[in-house]
Amino acid sequence: KHDPYGWVQWYSHFYNGRRIPGEDDRQISRWKNFAGPKGRFRRRLISMILKEDSTWNDEKISPVIRQGLQHWAYILTEEDFNLDIKRRNNKK
């Protein structure tokens, strides 16, 4: 009800200092689940890159997921890619 245009509108207000107890936690949780370090789509993109034996910046690998991540204000970086690889290797 606070931001009828969705997450980007909420984020803009949050970035500029507005705080809404409860709503902020909900939106931050949504971002983490989508694009955070263990986010579903961030990890899916990395898995697809690994499966194709490609590089972190190969835009041919799932442009749809990359676009979705951009809508959530996230772009995969080489550093994030390498951190995820390291995390996966430590699990083995």
Side-chain angles (χ1 to χ4, degrees):
K1 73 179 183 179
H2 301 286
D3 300 302
Y5 294 105
W7 187 85
V8 172
Q9 185 180 27
W10 168 83
Y11 179 76
S12 296
H13 289 138
F14 183 82
Y15 180 82
N16 288 316
R18 183 189 74 183
R19 299 295 182 262
I20 302 172
E23 180 65 9
D24 294 343
D25 292 336
R26 185 180 81 84
Q27 294 289 8
I28 291 167
S29 177
R30 289 179 67 210
W31 183 87
K32 284 181 178 178
N33 290 333
F34 195 94
K38 295 182 181 178
R40 176 179 168 195
F41 289 94
R42 176 174 164 172
R43 294 183 70 207
R44 176 75 176 128
L45 176 60
I46 292 169
S47 292
M48 293 172 82
I49 292 167
L50 293 173
K51 182 179 179 185
E52 295 293 324
D53 195 27
S54 191
T55 59
W56 68 274
N57 58 351
D58 183 352
E59 294 182 3
K60 291 178 285 199
I61 307 292
S62 194
V64 172
I65 289 178
R66 288 179 188 272
Q67 181 71 34
L69 288 166
Q70 283 187 355
H71 282 282
W72 284 83
Y74 177 79
I75 296 174
L76 181 64
T77 65
E78 184 175 18
E79 180 182 4
D80 288 347
F81 180 78
N82 290 333
L83 284 172
D84 197 76
I85 300 301
K86 185 177 180 180
R87 182 190 56 78
R88 291 173 190 222
N89 288 336
N90 286 337
K91 279 186 157 182
K92 292 180 181 177

